[in-house]
Amino acid sequence: METVYINSPLGITKIIGDENGIAVISVSDVDTNEISETIPEVLQEAVSQLQEYFEGKRTDFDLKLNPKGTEFQQKVWKALLEIPYGKTVSYMDQTKKLGDVKAIRAVASANGKNPLWIVVPCHRVIGTNGSLTGYAGGLSRKKWLLEHENPSAQQSLF
């Protein structure tokens, strides 16, 4: 696995992956990681696409993904990929789409364990009342991402 650290508007972004795909994209406020001087070839496309996203030039990602997780987590993360850029859904909407309204806590937990920040858009899942509940990257980042994707207003997909 190769690793690269880049600057983003929301902190230091770490990308980990290999020829099998991108396994981790995360963000941190901690400035102990040095920004990478070189980008491993296998991560260059991920870096490029994230930069385009932050510049407002990209609304979807075309990357080979290889996140590690349980079968259930993989199912939840795959469903997140269906939420369009600039739209939001509630945790309940997501749970209903996955077919089991009783699994809302498990779905929320899987969202929280999403290892592919931004690319698998768990930031697009909000509370039923429209609140910005829960986000592993911090609510200020979630707010920034949602405003970046839809500066005029949030609209529900369902």
Side-chain angles (χ1 to χ4, degrees):
M1 289 283 196
E2 299 280 356
T3 302
V4 67
Y5 295 92
I6 61 170
N7 265 322
S8 80
L10 297 174
I12 306 297
T13 300
K14 177 170 71 171
I15 306 169
I16 302 172
D18 59 20
E19 62 280 348
N20 295 316
I22 305 299
V24 175
I25 300 175
S26 62
V27 66
S28 173
D29 290 324
V30 181
D31 201 12
T32 57
N33 299 319
E34 290 185 23
I35 301 302
S36 300
E37 291 183 22
T38 60
I39 301 168
E41 186 176 336
V42 73
L43 301 179
Q44 287 177 355
E45 188 61 27
V47 169
S48 176
Q49 289 190 29
L50 279 169
Q51 289 170 336
E52 290 169 357
Y53 170 87
F54 284 118
E55 293 167 0
K57 298 175 182 173
R58 176 171 289 277
T59 59
D60 62 341
F61 295 91
D62 182 22
L63 298 169
K64 186 175 181 182
L65 305 178
N66 190 22
K68 304 293 184 239
T70 66
E71 186 177 328
F72 179 76
Q73 289 169 334
Q74 297 278 350
K75 180 179 174 184
V76 170
W77 300 336
K78 185 175 182 184
L80 289 170
L81 293 170
E82 297 174 15
I83 305 170
Y85 181 92
K87 304 289 184 179
T88 58
V89 300
S90 72
Y91 287 97
M92 183 55 76
D93 291 335
Q94 185 188 21
T95 302
K96 286 177 183 174
K97 184 171 174 113
L98 289 165
D100 184 359
V101 295
K102 295 177 185 171
I104 191 164
R105 289 183 187 267
V107 168
S109 176
N111 282 352
K113 291 182 172 87
N114 168 21
L116 293 165
W117 181 61
I118 298 177
V119 173
V120 175
C122 59
H123 61 278
R124 296 179 188 154
V125 183
I126 60 174
T128 302
N129 64 358
S131 63
L132 302 184
T133 61
Y135 187 62
L139 292 182
S140 62
R141 285 189 180 105
K142 183 172 188 164
K143 183 177 188 293
W144 189 97
L145 290 167
L146 291 174
E147 288 174 354
H148 175 71
E149 292 184 4
N150 190 351
S152 59
Q154 291 307 303
Q155 303 166 6
S156 181
L157 176 62
F158 298 112

